[in-house]
PDB file of all heavy atoms in Angstrom:
ATOM      1  N   ALA A  12      97.828  34.644 122.916  1.00  0.00           N
ATOM      2  CA  ALA A  12      96.810  33.994 123.746  1.00  0.00           C
ATOM      3  C   ALA A  12      97.166  34.128 125.233  1.00  0.00           C
ATOM      4  O   ALA A  12      96.295  34.415 126.068  1.00  0.00           O
ATOM      5  CB  ALA A  12      96.673  32.533 123.361  1.00  0.00           C
ATOM      6  N   ALA A  13      98.429  33.938 125.560  1.00  0.00           N
ATOM      7  CA  ALA A  13      98.861  34.075 126.952  1.00  0.00           C
ATOM      8  C   ALA A  13      98.682  35.522 127.426  1.00  0.00           C
ATOM      9  O   ALA A  13      98.256  35.768 128.556  1.00  0.00           O
ATOM     10  CB  ALA A  13     100.310  33.635 127.097  1.00  0.00           C
ATOM     11  N   GLY A  14      99.008  36.484 126.584  1.00  0.00           N
ATOM     12  CA  GLY A  14      98.832  37.892 126.924  1.00  0.00           C
ATOM     13  C   GLY A  14      97.366  38.245 127.140  1.00  0.00           C
ATOM     14  O   GLY A  14      97.025  38.973 128.068  1.00  0.00           O
ATOM     15  N   ALA A  15      96.493  37.714 126.293  1.00  0.00           N
ATOM     16  CA  ALA A  15      95.058  37.969 126.453  1.00  0.00           C
ATOM     17  C   ALA A  15      94.548  37.368 127.761  1.00  0.00           C
ATOM     18  O   ALA A  15      93.725  37.977 128.456  1.00  0.00           O
ATOM     19  CB  ALA A  15      94.291  37.394 125.269  1.00  0.00           C
ATOM     20  N   PHE A  16      95.050  36.187 128.110  1.00  0.00           N
ATOM     21  CA  PHE A  16      94.647  35.539 129.358  1.00  0.00           C
ATOM     22  C   PHE A  16      95.084  36.360 130.569  1.00  0.00           C
ATOM     23  O   PHE A  16      94.312  36.587 131.495  1.00  0.00           O
ATOM     24  CB  PHE A  16      95.237  34.124 129.418  1.00  0.00           C
ATOM     25  CG  PHE A  16      94.871  33.378 130.658  1.00  0.00           C
ATOM     26  CD1 PHE A  16      93.591  32.889 130.835  1.00  0.00           C
ATOM     27  CD2 PHE A  16      95.808  33.179 131.652  1.00  0.00           C
ATOM     28  CE1 PHE A  16      93.244  32.197 131.991  1.00  0.00           C
ATOM     29  CE2 PHE A  16      95.475  32.491 132.812  1.00  0.00           C
ATOM     30  CZ  PHE A  16      94.185  32.004 132.983  1.00  0.00           C
ATOM     31  N   VAL A  17      96.324  36.817 130.555  1.00  0.00           N
ATOM     32  CA  VAL A  17      96.841  37.632 131.659  1.00  0.00           C
ATOM     33  C   VAL A  17      96.060  38.942 131.747  1.00  0.00           C
ATOM     34  O   VAL A  17      95.725  39.400 132.847  1.00  0.00           O
ATOM     35  CB  VAL A  17      98.355  37.885 131.488  1.00  0.00           C
ATOM     36  CG1 VAL A  17      98.853  38.940 132.457  1.00  0.00           C
ATOM     37  CG2 VAL A  17      99.128  36.590 131.656  1.00  0.00           C
ATOM     38  N   LEU A  18      95.753  39.532 130.633  1.00  0.00           N
ATOM     39  CA  LEU A  18      94.967  40.762 130.609  1.00  0.00           C
ATOM     40  C   LEU A  18      93.565  40.529 131.184  1.00  0.00           C
ATOM     41  O   LEU A  18      93.061  41.354 131.955  1.00  0.00           O
ATOM     42  CB  LEU A  18      94.875  41.304 129.179  1.00  0.00           C
ATOM     43  CG  LEU A  18      94.168  42.629 129.001  1.00  0.00           C
ATOM     44  CD1 LEU A  18      94.921  43.730 129.739  1.00  0.00           C
ATOM     45  CD2 LEU A  18      94.064  42.971 127.530  1.00  0.00           C
ATOM     46  N   ALA A  19      92.947  39.410 130.837  1.00  0.00           N
ATOM     47  CA  ALA A  19      91.620  39.091 131.365  1.00  0.00           C
ATOM     48  C   ALA A  19      91.678  38.889 132.879  1.00  0.00           C
ATOM     49  O   ALA A  19      90.783  39.338 133.615  1.00  0.00           O
ATOM     50  CB  ALA A  19      91.062  37.851 130.683  1.00  0.00           C
ATOM     51  N   LEU A  20      92.710  38.214 133.361  1.00  0.00           N
ATOM     52  CA  LEU A  20      92.862  38.035 134.810  1.00  0.00           C
ATOM     53  C   LEU A  20      93.050  39.372 135.519  1.00  0.00           C
ATOM     54  O   LEU A  20      92.471  39.610 136.577  1.00  0.00           O
ATOM     55  CB  LEU A  20      94.057  37.126 135.112  1.00  0.00           C
ATOM     56  CG  LEU A  20      93.857  35.636 134.890  1.00  0.00           C
ATOM     57  CD1 LEU A  20      95.156  34.887 135.195  1.00  0.00           C
ATOM     58  CD2 LEU A  20      92.741  35.108 135.744  1.00  0.00           C
ATOM     59  N   GLY A  21      93.858  40.242 134.938  1.00  0.00           N
ATOM     60  CA  GLY A  21      94.081  41.569 135.518  1.00  0.00           C
ATOM     61  C   GLY A  21      92.802  42.388 135.564  1.00  0.00           C
ATOM     62  O   GLY A  21      92.523  43.071 136.556  1.00  0.00           O
ATOM     63  N   ALA A  22      92.012  42.321 134.502  1.00  0.00           N
ATOM     64  CA  ALA A  22      90.751  43.066 134.468  1.00  0.00           C
ATOM     65  C   ALA A  22      89.778  42.539 135.521  1.00  0.00           C
ATOM     66  O   ALA A  22      89.102  43.322 136.200  1.00  0.00           O
ATOM     67  CB  ALA A  22      90.133  42.978 133.076  1.00  0.00           C
ATOM     68  N   ALA A  23      89.705  41.224 135.680  1.00  0.00           N
ATOM     69  CA  ALA A  23      88.816  40.641 136.689  1.00  0.00           C
ATOM     70  C   ALA A  23      89.263  41.040 138.099  1.00  0.00           C
ATOM     71  O   ALA A  23      88.430  41.364 138.957  1.00  0.00           O
ATOM     72  CB  ALA A  23      88.794  39.121 136.553  1.00  0.00           C
ATOM     73  N   TYR A  24      90.550  41.032 138.339  1.00  0.00           N
ATOM     74  CA  TYR A  24      91.077  41.439 139.646  1.00  0.00           C
ATOM     75  C   TYR A  24      90.741  42.903 139.925  1.00  0.00           C
ATOM     76  O   TYR A  24      90.298  43.255 141.009  1.00  0.00           O
ATOM     77  CB  TYR A  24      92.587  41.223 139.685  1.00  0.00           C
ATOM     78  CG  TYR A  24      93.241  41.777 140.925  1.00  0.00           C
ATOM     79  CD1 TYR A  24      93.159  41.116 142.129  1.00  0.00           C
ATOM     80  CD2 TYR A  24      93.932  42.990 140.879  1.00  0.00           C
ATOM     81  CE1 TYR A  24      93.751  41.625 143.273  1.00  0.00           C
ATOM     82  CE2 TYR A  24      94.527  43.510 142.016  1.00  0.00           C
ATOM     83  CZ  TYR A  24      94.436  42.824 143.203  1.00  0.00           C
ATOM     84  OH  TYR A  24      95.015  43.339 144.323  1.00  0.00           O
ATOM     85  N   TRP A  25      90.938  43.751 138.941  1.00  0.00           N
ATOM     86  CA  TRP A  25      90.685  45.182 139.115  1.00  0.00           C
ATOM     87  C   TRP A  25      89.204  45.451 139.395  1.00  0.00           C
ATOM     88  O   TRP A  25      88.859  46.253 140.254  1.00  0.00           O
ATOM     89  CB  TRP A  25      91.141  45.937 137.870  1.00  0.00           C
ATOM     90  CG  TRP A  25      90.927  47.403 137.969  1.00  0.00           C
ATOM     91  CD1 TRP A  25      91.627  48.293 138.712  1.00  0.00           C
ATOM     92  CD2 TRP A  25      89.903  48.156 137.319  1.00  0.00           C
ATOM     93  NE1 TRP A  25      91.110  49.548 138.563  1.00  0.00           N
ATOM     94  CE2 TRP A  25      90.056  49.493 137.716  1.00  0.00           C
ATOM     95  CE3 TRP A  25      88.891  47.818 136.444  1.00  0.00           C
ATOM     96  CZ2 TRP A  25      89.208  50.480 137.259  1.00  0.00           C
ATOM     97  CZ3 TRP A  25      88.045  48.806 135.991  1.00  0.00           C
ATOM     98  CH2 TRP A  25      88.210  50.126 136.396  1.00  0.00           C
ATOM     99  N   ARG A  26      88.315  44.762 138.675  1.00  0.00           N
ATOM    100  CA  ARG A  26      86.872  44.950 138.907  1.00  0.00           C
ATOM    101  C   ARG A  26      86.470  44.474 140.290  1.00  0.00           C
ATOM    102  O   ARG A  26      85.675  45.108 140.975  1.00  0.00           O
ATOM    103  CB  ARG A  26      86.060  44.203 137.853  1.00  0.00           C
ATOM    104  CG  ARG A  26      85.940  44.969 136.563  1.00  0.00           C
ATOM    105  CD  ARG A  26      84.912  44.325 135.697  1.00  0.00           C
ATOM    106  NE  ARG A  26      83.588  44.551 136.262  1.00  0.00           N
ATOM    107  CZ  ARG A  26      82.550  44.915 135.544  1.00  0.00           C
ATOM    108  NH1 ARG A  26      82.680  45.089 134.267  1.00  0.00           N
ATOM    109  NH2 ARG A  26      81.382  45.078 136.112  1.00  0.00           N
ATOM    110  N   GLY A  27      87.007  43.354 140.723  1.00  0.00           N
ATOM    111  CA  GLY A  27      86.694  42.840 142.055  1.00  0.00           C
ATOM    112  C   GLY A  27      87.195  43.766 143.138  1.00  0.00           C
ATOM    113  O   GLY A  27      86.523  43.995 144.152  1.00  0.00           O
TER     114      GLY A  27
END
Side-chain angles (χ1 to χ4, degrees):
F16 180 73
V17 169
L18 184 63
L20 284 178
Y24 173 77
W25 180 74
R26 278 192 71 135

